[in-house]
Amino acid sequence: QGHLVESGGGLVQAGGSLTLSCTASGRAFTTYAMGWFRQAPGKEREFVATVTGSGGPRWYGDSVKGRFTISRENARNAVSLQMNSLKREDTAVYYCAANSRLIRLSDPAAYDYWGQGTQVTVSS
């Protein structure tokens, strides 16, 4: 999965929804756990969500639990992030990433490949 491309970012009002998508090139997509991270200006990269290769087990960062949903479509080499009840503090660049070792799934350092990022801005 050497190439990841995100899409779907944009400007949305607080309380609204947005869906981010990420498509991966290459084969063996199901052998990777796929994650979403975000980074706001002046802050460290933050874990948002991750899903295993089968699309079963999923984990979320505390700040997004109950509001965001990660899912994947292995037939299309795609992973998405449905974001509901957006807040101003969700404003960040969102990154899609792939993890081949299937460990430390909330640690950005454990991910092998990254997309270029897509900006999400939530206005009040």
Side-chain angles (χ1 to χ4, degrees), residues 41-62:
K43 295 189 176 181
E44 293 186 351
R45 194 160 293 192
E46 177 190 11
F47 168 69
V48 175
T50 190
V51 60
T52 58
S54 65
R58 311 173 194 191
W59 293 271
Y60 296 91
D62 288 341

Side-chain angles (χ1 to χ4, degrees), residues 60-106:
Y60 296 91
D62 288 341
S63 61
V64 306
K65 280 180 183 176
R67 300 188 298 123
F68 290 11
T69 301
I70 188 172
S71 59
R72 63 189 293 162
E73 293 183 60
N74 288 335
R76 296 197 304 113
N77 278 20
V79 61
S80 62
L81 184 70
Q82 173 68 43
M83 305 185 293
N84 298 325
S85 303
L86 283 161
K87 307 175 182 179
R88 286 193 64 185
E89 51 264 43
D90 294 319
T91 295
V93 177
Y94 283 71
Y95 297 91
C96 171
N99 181 318
S100 65
R101 290 175 289 273
L102 308 181
I103 59 172
R104 297 177 8 239
L105 295 180
S106 64

Side-chain angles (χ1 to χ4, degrees), residues 2-4 6 37 45 95-98 108-109 111-116:
H3 191 54
L4 304 176
E6 302 99 335
F37 292 80
R45 194 160 293 192
Y95 297 91
C96 171
Y111 283 71
D112 307 280
Y113 303 105
W114 292 84
Q116 81 287 352

Side-chain angles (χ1 to χ4, degrees), residues 11-14 88 122-124:
L11 175 65
V12 63
Q13 286 191 328
R88 286 193 64 185
V122 183
S123 64
S124 58

